[in-house]
Amino acid sequence: MRSFWPIYKRELFAFFVTPLAWVLITVFLFIQGMHFFLLVDHFASMGPAASDQTPIQAFFGNTVLLYLVLFLLIPPMTMRLFAEERRSGTIELLMTAPVSSWSVVLAKYASVLTTYVAMWAPTAFYLVILQRSGEVDWGVAASAYLGVFLVGAGYLSLGLLMSAVTTSQFLALIMTALVVLGLFILGVGEFVTREGTLMHAVCSHVSIWAHMNDFASGIVDTRRIVFYGSCAILPLFVTVRAVDAWRWG
Amino acid sequence: MISVQKLVKRYGSGPRGSNAVDDVSFEVDKGEVVGFLGPNGAGKSTTLRILSGFLGMTSGKVTVAGHDIREQSFEARQKIGYMPEAVPLYPEMRVAEYLAFRAELKRVPRRDRAGFVDDAMQKANVDDVANVLIGNLSKGYRQRVGLADALVARPPLLILDEPTAGLDPNQIREVREVIRDLGKEHTVLLSTHILSEVEASCSRVIVIAKGKLVAEGTMEDLSRKRRAAGLVLVVRGDKERALAAVGAVPGIAKVTCEDPPATSAGTHELRCAWQKKLDDAGTAGAIEQAVAALVAAGCFVREVRAVRSSLEEVFAELTSSAAPVPLDPEPPPEAPADPEATS
């Protein structure tokens, strides 16, 4: 695990020294700022009685806005992690240093998760802005951010896996986007399947829409934590196996 | 330092798979500079990748500095400085930054790191580009940054995969000088398909072809393999009688005579080709008999010299399973002219 730190530092460096991270963060903040403006504008013009939800709920769940940015931003964040190193051959140098597969995978994952958190951090200002003119339930906000973190952790881990199974960044991007989209569509199945069927149970279990709705309402359900925890840990485990498998290719 | 026993690497499975490395065994002792020679696709890079711990082996046993590469991979990898074939580097980092990262990754203690990095940059002659982005470096510099990377943790063993590939002659000379200096402190195993490179920097050579070990030994052993490809006799006397006399000697397949303008009047240059499968003793005997026959025929022998096959031909003979060295080869560079062309 001693090699975790240098690889983590280098990954963050590589991410922020290239334009990619800045482009992604700019696009992210621009889109989120637009969403925030539209939502606040909407709630202000409707008046308090017009809706049964708060701007925080709408911002973090119950609208398509959150899923749109995740769908657009997660795949380009993770695509390069392994695919680029395998394409350029630097993976050979990395793996011939005295490092373990676990530390390489965890360092890369931690770096991209850190970037994800850094991306979301400025949105806390939105809540500060809200508080100046209204009331913010900080408990609900914390639970919403927990939800965002968990969903991101799961998706980034899936993206990391996709990057490890191909040498093409583009293919990694497409596959990650498909998995993220697939999970979302499967979740939407919750609303079209009949209650009580197995399909309905499966769909509602993976329904990010319903999950984020809960989190954004301040409901921290341990089932969700377990689900996204396994979404993060399982792909990491498979990625480590994939990294070990290159040795035998 | 390195011990390789019955190493096999198989790509693919079942009948469609093929052995990239097939039952190769060799040793490299401490302090040696060993050349790993073979044509492209012989399995050099695969073998070096296995030694460096990047690839797994199908079967066999490899120990590096006493550590089994499979069971004590960590310890073994710490003893190795490896430079891969294409010298992949991170283009977005500066040279000094990159080497500091590599030093940390290779567990150089924090207080030694700066010193080790400076030292490696000096040895590999890259200290003048310490603050240049790797992406902006020329091929020659990138190659030397790769070398500095291999050196940075001061490993006892260096494994260099084609360190001079793609360089211009001046850069090749520079890299060779660096490698020769490194040989004083490190054990070096370097692969190449260029013979003169081995001659210039290695004390011992291992030749593989099509995944199999075909020769191993010192440079002298290799040059001893240079067989006489033929014989040149310069005689004074009657040309036809000399031809007849030499042609009758057992062991000589063919005699041709040509008189290049340089030969003085009355002398003739006879070029003889050996019969196939003539061993060393047979060759010596045939030379004696040829000279005796010439003297008996009333000719005066002025010069007897063997036409040696070049190192390139030795290489070709060792690495192509097709045929042993041809007995009537294209004359090597030192031979005056092509007998086929004039006869």
Side-chain angles (χ1 to χ4, degrees):
Chain A
M1 273 295 123
R2 266 175 68 193
S3 37
F4 172 88
W5 188 239
I7 301 173
Y8 173 74
K9 276 192 302 187
R10 202 212 78 81
E11 284 298 322
L12 275 186
F13 172 87
F15 205 60
F16 282 95
V17 88
T18 55
L20 182 66
W22 301 108
V23 169
L24 289 181
I25 291 179
T26 309
V27 169
F28 173 79
L29 288 179
F30 181 74
I31 297 177
Q32 290 296 67
M34 289 270 287
H35 288 170
F36 178 69
F37 172 76
L38 290 174
L39 287 171
V40 171
D41 192 48
H42 171 78
F43 280 102
S45 61
M46 295 292 276
S51 173
D52 59 348
Q53 59 178 349
T54 63
I56 291 184
Q57 267 175 299
F59 188 66
F60 288 106
N62 222 11
T63 61
V64 80
L65 305 177
L66 172 77
Y67 318 111
L68 205 64
V69 287
L70 288 183
F71 174 73
L72 284 178
L73 292 173
I74 299 272
M77 280 175 78
T78 55
M79 64 177 184
R80 43 168 284 287
L81 288 172
F82 279 109
E84 189 182 38
E85 295 226 40
R86 288 181 73 198
R87 177 57 61 87
S88 71
T90 47
I91 194 74
E92 196 170 342
L93 279 170
L94 191 61
M95 301 311 290
T96 51
V99 298
S100 66
S101 310
W102 266 108
S103 57
V104 172
V105 170
L106 284 184
K108 281 180 179 284
Y109 180 62
S111 76
V112 80
L113 198 58
T114 308
T115 313
Y116 179 78
V117 170
M119 222 151 126
W120 274 98
T123 60
F125 283 114
Y126 300 167
L127 303 180
V128 176
I129 294 169
L130 269 187
Q131 192 168 35
R132 291 179 72 101
S133 58
E135 234 176 278
V136 173
D137 185 336
W138 291 100
V140 172
S143 128
Y145 273 113
L146 177 68
V148 162
F149 178 79
L150 286 174
V151 171
Y155 282 3
L156 290 171
S157 179
L158 284 166
L160 180 75
L161 172 61
M162 293 306 153
S163 182
V165 297
T166 171
T167 55
S168 155
Q169 290 191 46
F170 183 68
L171 206 57
L173 176 96
I174 299 293
M175 290 200 300
T176 311
L178 285 179
V179 170
V180 168
L181 189 68
L183 272 179
F184 181 74
I185 291 175
L186 197 61
V188 172
E190 187 189 3
F191 305 107
V192 293
T193 48
R194 234 172 325 113
E195 207 151 336
T197 58
L198 176 71
M199 198 60 199
H200 180 83
V202 170
C203 288
S204 58
H205 189 64
V206 303
S207 172
I208 175 182
W209 184 288
H211 300 171
M212 277 316 295
N213 224 350
D214 281 358
F215 280 119
S217 317
I219 303 167
V220 179
D221 188 335
T222 46
R223 279 179 304 169
R224 315 296 180 232
I225 295 176
V226 169
F227 175 70
Y228 288 108
S230 27
C231 261
I233 290 163
L234 215 63
L236 284 182
F237 184 75
V238 180
T239 308
V240 170
R241 306 309 298 171
V243 169
D244 285 337
W246 297 335
R247 243 161 238 231
W248 309 103
Chain B
M1 202 69 200
I2 307 177
S3 149
V4 177
Q5 282 157 31
K6 296 191 180 306
L7 180 67
V8 175
K9 174 67 185 178
R10 191 171 176 80
Y11 284 116
S13 55
R16 293 178 65 194
S18 63
N19 287 354
V21 178
D22 196 356
D23 198 16
V24 167
S25 307
F26 61 86
E27 307 262 334
V28 175
D29 293 328
K30 199 167 162 40
E32 278 188 307
V33 178
V34 175
F36 201 54
L37 195 63
N40 287 326
K44 297 189 299 281
S45 288
T46 305
T47 309
L48 295 189
R49 279 176 168 175
I50 293 171
L51 295 187
S52 66
F54 181 63
L55 276 183
M57 63 203 101
T58 308
S59 67
K61 187 176 163 67
V62 175
T63 49
V64 172
H67 302 288
D68 188 300
I69 195 80
R70 216 160 14 182
E71 273 140 39
Q72 293 172 297
S73 173
F74 251 68
E75 290 83 351
R77 277 186 277 170
Q78 260 182 310
K79 304 280 187 217
I80 299 173
Y82 174 57
M83 174 176 160
E85 191 173 358
V87 199
L89 300 164
Y90 297 113
E92 71 273 9
M93 295 182 99
R94 292 173 200 282
V95 173
E97 264 168 13
Y98 173 71
L99 292 175
F101 159 66
R102 295 293 297 176
E104 191 178 352
L105 203 60
K106 292 177 183 179
R107 311 198 166 177
V108 176
R110 180 184 295 273
R111 61 179 182 283
D112 298 340
R113 231 172 268 154
F116 275 39
V117 168
D118 285 346
D119 211 43
M121 285 199 294
Q122 232 151 45
K123 277 188 189 156
N125 286 329
V126 291
D127 34 0
D128 50 334
V129 292
N131 287 316
V132 178
L133 282 177
I134 290 174
N136 295 341
L137 289 179
S138 69
K139 174 89 178 143
Y141 268 115
R142 291 170 55 94
Q143 209 89 1
R144 279 182 279 164
V145 172
L147 202 56
D149 172 20
L151 290 174
V152 75
R154 300 191 183 164
L157 171 66
L158 294 177
I159 296 180
L160 313 173
D161 199 353
E162 306 215 354
T164 58
L167 299 184
D168 71 35
N170 289 333
Q171 294 169 327
I172 289 179
R173 212 175 50 231
E174 277 173 30
V175 170
R176 273 183 199 160
E177 273 162 24
V178 172
I179 290 171
R180 219 170 310 161
D181 284 344
L182 294 178
K184 290 170 194 153
E185 293 168 40
H186 306 260
T187 306
V188 182
L189 176 62
L190 68 92
S191 85
T192 178
H193 57 265
I194 306 163
L195 271 157
S196 52
E197 186 150 320
V198 176
E199 251 180 332
S201 37
C202 302
S203 58
R204 205 155 66 81
V205 61
I206 294 164
V207 187
I208 67 167
K210 294 184 179 153
K212 287 190 193 305
L213 191 85
V214 291
E216 189 188 353
T218 59
M219 279 314 296
E220 289 86 68
D221 291 341
L222 190 71
S223 40
R224 212 171 296 140
K225 294 232 183 219
R226 297 180 183 202
R227 276 208 322 161
L231 183 68
V232 173
L233 294 160
V234 179
V235 299
R236 188 163 62 80
D238 185 61
K239 182 175 166 181
E240 298 308 319
R241 283 173 68 184
L243 277 174
V246 176
V249 172
I252 292 178
K254 192 172 145 198
V255 193
T256 54
C257 177
E258 63 197 272
D259 290 315
T263 47
S264 56
T267 62
H268 307 287
E269 203 175 281
L270 306 180
R271 298 183 60 84
C272 315
W274 301 123
Q275 274 174 0
K276 293 198 174 183
K277 292 177 187 158
L278 197 62
D279 58 3
D280 285 355
T283 311
I287 294 174
E288 287 168 2
Q289 283 182 32
V291 173
L294 281 170
V295 172
C299 300
F300 301 96
V301 181
R302 287 202 163 175
E303 200 179 330
V304 181
R305 78 174 179 262
V307 179
R308 301 220 144 244
S309 53
S310 68
L311 209 52
E312 267 73 22
E313 280 164 337
V314 176
F315 178 67
E317 178 191 14
L318 288 172
T319 55
S320 68
S321 60
V325 142
L327 283 169
D328 193 12
E330 291 280 306
E334 62 262 38
D338 189 338
E340 304 287 273
T342 46
S343 59

